[in-house]
Amino acid sequence: RDSSGSLSWEEFEEHLGDARIAAYLSSLELDVAEARGLFRLLDLEGKNDVKIEDFVWGCMRMRGVAKSIDLCTVLYENRKQGK
């Protein structure tokens, strides 16, 4: 919304009420709770802000058969250690 290239927690929460976003999440076989959890996992620095491309990448990784909070937790831990 602000062209920053990142998504704040507030922007994220606002977009969750948008029917288009709900449809996008549904097409990825994700529900709102999983999307919220993914946002928290990707917010490595705890700033309530993630890069949009990281969030989209995370959504794609969680879709279908690959959908597993355990997998995302491992990815989070690996990324955190890499910084």
Side-chain angles (χ1 to χ4, degrees):
R1 194 167 246 199
D2 61 10
S3 302
S4 67
S6 65
L7 182 64
S8 72
W9 179 255
E10 292 78 19
E11 290 171 325
F12 175 71
E13 284 287 308
E14 182 180 323
H15 289 301
L16 287 179
D18 186 323
R20 295 172 296 174
I21 300 301
Y24 173 70
L25 292 174
S26 179
S27 75
L28 296 176
E29 300 174 15
L30 295 173
D31 63 31
V32 171
E34 289 168 324
R36 284 187 175 114
L38 176 62
F39 186 98
R40 288 187 179 104
L41 285 173
L42 294 174
D43 184 17
L44 298 176
E45 297 173 8
K47 294 182 179 181
N48 290 327
D49 192 77
V50 298
K51 291 180 182 176
I52 291 172
E53 67 249 20
D54 289 346
F55 185 75
V56 172
W57 173 85
C59 285
M60 298 304 290
R61 295 287 302 185
M62 286 185 64
R63 70 186 290 198
V65 177
K67 181 171 64 170
S68 166
I69 197 66
D70 294 328
L71 173 62
C72 287
T73 301
V74 169
L75 290 170
Y76 167 78
E77 291 298 329
N78 286 340
R79 289 185 70 198
K80 189 174 179 181
Q81 289 177 359
K83 288 199 172 218

